[in-house]
Amino acid sequence: MATKKVTVTIPEELLDEIRADAAERGLSAYVADALRFKRDRDRLLELVNWLEEEYGPVTDDERAAAMEEMDELDAEHERRRADRKRNNAGEAA
């Protein structure tokens, strides 16, 4: 993938925190991931707004069901991360 160097201004305290978190993979990769995440969230918000205009607002029951499903997905992802960590630890030993 082609890349392009840009200049951005970030509050110093935030940059210090990001550098600490991004140490292994690098600041550029961290920022690119954060920008992708923000872009994806913005697109999802556009979709939500369109769906609400088209079909009406989400009900409390629908929202609760969606949150429950997201919790289940988060738990599954956490299980998979833990399994990967265990497998990687076993390979390193």
Side-chain angles (χ1 to χ4, degrees):
M1 172 185 1
T3 61
K4 182 158 185 134
K5 189 173 187 169
V6 298
T7 301
V8 297
T9 303
I10 300 173
E12 189 173 345
E13 303 79 32
L14 178 58
L15 182 58
D16 291 342
E17 291 177 21
I18 291 170
R19 280 193 169 132
D21 290 342
E24 284 185 27
R25 59 187 169 144
L27 183 61
S28 292
Y30 186 96
V31 170
D33 286 346
L35 290 172
R36 276 188 204 94
F37 181 80
K38 173 67 171 129
R39 181 206 53 210
D40 292 348
R41 297 267 317 202
D42 289 348
R43 288 178 177 173
L44 283 172
L45 183 57
E46 287 178 26
L47 175 61
V48 166
N49 289 336
W50 178 82
L51 288 170
E52 285 188 339
E53 287 175 14
E54 196 71 19
Y55 301 104
V58 176
T59 67
D60 289 341
D61 289 342
E62 292 168 330
R63 183 173 282 110
M67 294 304 290
E68 184 176 322
E69 189 170 339
M70 284 177 36
D71 288 344
E72 291 171 5
L73 288 169
D74 286 344
E76 176 62 22
H77 289 152
E78 189 56 39
R79 281 191 293 277
R80 290 180 184 191
R81 277 192 287 274
D83 287 346
R84 272 197 309 273
K85 284 183 181 179
R86 277 193 296 277
N87 289 339
N88 289 340
E91 291 172 5

